[in-house]
Amino acid sequence: MTIDHNSTDSKGEFFIAKDNITVAQITYSNAGDDKLIIDHTEVDESLKGKGIGYNLVDSVVDYARAKGLKIIPLCPFAKAVFKKRKEYSDVLY
């Protein structure tokens, strides 16, 4: 499955689409020039338990690293992933 990315000046999303329908998504908002806030993660029931949510968080982390950004994980799922994965500490705000 391919994770795609859309963004505007103030918001963005990483998502997986199947037959032009979004089946998994993580959204963020820009917080100034150096931070982004993960505000929502959603995975369709048909994909639960397959690590898709973790893959979406990985995508945001990779994006933040490439852009030199810090992440504020407000979404409960993303917040839990950041607590479990200490290797994300370099991008945690």
Side-chain angles (χ1 to χ4, degrees):
M1 278 185 234
T2 303
I3 297 176
D4 293 309
H5 181 225
N6 283 331
S7 66
T8 64
D9 288 338
S10 61
K11 295 180 178 252
E13 68 174 339
F14 287 88
F15 65 98
I16 298 171
K18 183 176 180 184
D19 299 326
N20 292 324
I21 297 170
T22 299
V23 293
Q25 173 187 53
I26 189 166
T27 60
Y28 64 86
S29 298
N30 295 322
D33 293 332
D34 61 346
K35 293 181 284 301
L36 58 87
I37 298 167
I38 296 176
D39 48 32
H40 181 70
T41 306
E42 187 171 348
V43 177
D44 187 80
E45 285 294 325
S46 66
L47 298 174
K48 298 260 178 168
K50 297 182 180 185
I52 302 296
Y54 283 92
N55 293 342
L56 292 170
V57 174
D58 286 342
S59 295
V60 179
V61 169
D62 290 345
Y63 175 78
R65 285 178 177 147
K67 299 287 187 180
L69 303 171
K70 295 291 185 178
I71 297 173
I72 302 167
L74 291 185
C75 160
F77 176 78
K79 193 175 218 177
V81 172
F82 269 82
K83 283 186 179 181
K84 290 178 186 175
R85 299 222 168 148
K86 300 302 178 201
E87 64 267 27
Y88 293 165
S89 64
D90 63 312
V91 294
L92 183 62
Y93 180 76

